[in-house]
Amino acid sequence: MVQKISYKTKQKEELLSYLETIPGVHFTAADISDHFRAQGKSIGITTIYRQLDRLVEEGQVSKYYIDESSSACFEYIDPENNCHHPHCYHCKCERCGKLIHLDCHEMEGLLQHISKEHRFLIDPMRTVFYGLCADCQKGDIHTESNP
Amino acid sequence: MVQKISYKTKQKEELLSYLETIPGVHFTAADISDHFRAQGKSIGITTIYRQLDRLVEEGQVSKYYIDESSSACFEYIDPENNCHHPHCYHCKCERCGKLIHLDCHEMEGLLQHISKEHRFLIDPMRTVFYGLCADCQKGDIHTESNP
DNA sequence: TTGCGTGCAAAGGTTTTGCATGGCA
DNA sequence: TGCCATGCAAAACCTTTGCACGCAA
């Protein structure tokens, strides 16, 4: 496994600079493309995919497949204030589409139970809980993102 | 919300008959298409998608997005011997791709905790736990489905 | 100069839609 | 006879790949 030499390019730097301003926020490749187009400094979608792939490999970005028949979802992991400590999980509201960060210490006990009793080692960073967020539970009002 | 009248067609019946033989097994729309083509009684892929969508709405089939950049995964829910009682969950091995049914009573306490303390109502039928299965944990041997 | 990075265009794959035809009630 | 269901073809999407050019080291 030979590590390739990596060049420092303008696109790479601008992408990382931007990502550093949105730790913990989830986004798609298209979101990034839109952001830079709006700024007048457009980056090719191919480059965005390639850079994100690299960052995922390096562990600086997480990749999720959350939305149905939709695009992959990425998230920058702040190395300073790392949200991805052992008790940070993701919840996705099936009604309004919100993605919520869940900080729950009780989960660890369950993960251990499942590991010991069921022999399955859960990867919290990849697992997403689907359900209803607090807002959407209230009165079961229809709060679809597209009205 | 007016319920549309549903006709009983040959394709619909054959699809449901087949699904009833594979409760709890996960499959893609293409799998179904292949199955019927092999049987000589081909069903259009469009019809398969439309029937599966309907079955998902009716709750007889679950739909998951499990594999990365790949196709959606369906599963027939046996109404007789319903695996989807309140403590049946799905685990997907990230290494070998196996989909495991996890029957765990301890999960309920956690779901209640998350509902009460974090105000998120988890839907167990939609949630998939990612991680490593027992086999793939052993010695960390490479057991990719494509050798 | 070397070879990685970029971005356009095109390909690849899955799912959805339009539309004419077929079949159930 | 109505109206839903079917399936072909085409469109819509997201993502990856090929390739020529640009640029960092």
Side-chain angles (χ1 to χ4, degrees), chain A residues 45-90:
Chain A
I45 191 76
T46 310
T47 299
I48 292 170
Y49 274 109
R50 283 196 274 232
Q51 287 301 335
L52 287 177
D53 279 353
R54 169 189 296 235
L55 289 167
V56 167
E57 268 183 31
E58 290 171 353
Q60 273 203 80
V61 163
S62 287
K63 186 177 189 181
Y64 304 99
Y65 295 85
I66 291 177
D67 292 305
E68 311 193 346
S69 15
S70 180
S71 35
C73 182
F74 299 87
E75 171 189 342
Y76 177 71
I77 308 303
D78 188 347
E80 300 300 314
N81 180 20
N82 194 344
C83 149
H84 287 272
H85 45 71
H87 32 76
C88 180
Y89 307 92
H90 286 97

Side-chain angles (χ1 to χ4, degrees), chain B residues 7-9 29 46 49-50 53 63 70-72:
Chain B
Y7 288 176
K8 188 163 80 173
T9 66
T46 311
Y49 273 110
R50 284 194 273 231
D53 278 353
K63 188 176 188 181
S70 181
S71 37

Side-chain angles (χ1 to χ4, degrees), chain B residues 45-115:
Chain B
I45 190 77
T46 311
T47 299
I48 293 170
Y49 273 110
R50 284 194 273 231
Q51 288 300 336
L52 286 176
D53 278 353
R54 169 189 298 237
L55 289 167
V56 168
E57 268 184 31
E58 290 171 353
Q60 273 202 78
V61 163
S62 288
K63 188 176 188 181
Y64 304 98
Y65 293 86
I66 290 177
D67 292 305
E68 312 194 345
S69 13
S70 181
S71 37
C73 182
F74 299 87
E75 172 191 343
Y76 176 71
I77 308 303
D78 188 349
E80 301 300 314
N81 182 18
N82 194 344
C83 147
H84 286 274
H85 45 72
H87 32 76
C88 179
Y89 307 91
H90 284 98
C91 296
K92 168 85 176 176
C93 180
E94 296 189 289
R95 176 161 295 169
C96 70
K98 233 182 310 190
L99 185 65
I100 297 158
H101 282 165
L102 176 70
D103 203 333
C104 179
H105 292 253
E106 308 226 346
M107 192 86 71
E108 280 160 80
L110 183 84
L111 297 196
Q112 280 182 24
H113 164 79
I114 289 180
S115 172

Side-chain angles (χ1 to χ4, degrees), chain B residues 1-6 54 57-58:
Chain B
M1 214 193 270
V2 185
Q3 188 69 21
K4 267 193 188 175
I5 294 156
S6 166
R54 169 189 298 237
E57 268 184 31
E58 290 171 353

Side-chain angles (χ1 to χ4, degrees), chain A:
Chain A
M1 214 193 269
V2 185
Q3 187 70 25
K4 268 192 187 175
I5 293 154
S6 164
Y7 288 178
K8 187 163 80 172
T9 66
K10 214 176 79 180
Q11 289 88 338
K12 202 181 293 188
E13 294 213 300
E14 299 227 326
L15 177 59
L16 205 53
S17 302
Y18 175 52
L19 293 185
E20 280 164 359
T21 69
I22 53 164
V25 174
H26 66 291
F27 54 85
T28 66
D31 290 340
I32 299 292
S33 178
D34 290 348
H35 169 82
F36 282 107
R37 194 168 329 116
Q39 301 257 320
K41 36 185 174 180
S42 172
I43 299 182
I45 191 76
T46 310
T47 299
I48 292 170
Y49 274 109
R50 283 196 274 232
Q51 287 301 335
L52 287 177
D53 279 353
R54 169 189 296 235
L55 289 167
V56 167
E57 268 183 31
E58 290 171 353
Q60 273 203 80
V61 163
S62 287
K63 186 177 189 181
Y64 304 99
Y65 295 85
I66 291 177
D67 292 305
E68 311 193 346
S69 15
S70 180
S71 35
C73 182
F74 299 87
E75 171 189 342
Y76 177 71
I77 308 303
D78 188 347
E80 300 300 314
N81 180 20
N82 194 344
C83 149
H84 287 272
H85 45 71
H87 32 76
C88 180
Y89 307 92
H90 286 97
C91 297
K92 167 85 176 178
C93 180
E94 295 188 288
R95 177 161 292 169
C96 71
K98 233 181 312 193
L99 185 65
I100 297 158
H101 280 164
L102 177 70
D103 203 333
C104 178
H105 293 254
E106 307 226 346
M107 191 87 71
E108 279 160 82
L110 183 84
L111 297 197
Q112 281 183 23
H113 164 79
I114 289 181
S115 171
K116 278 183 191 154
E117 299 303 318
H118 304 278
R119 305 248 144 255
F120 191 85
L121 191 63
I122 289 175
D123 178 358
M125 294 212 15
R126 272 250 181 294
T127 299
V128 177
F129 293 92
Y130 289 82
L132 287 179
C133 72
D135 292 341
C136 291
Q137 284 175 62
K138 281 180 201 163
D140 230 37
I141 309 155
H142 274 282
T143 345
E144 296 283 351
S145 39
N146 0 338

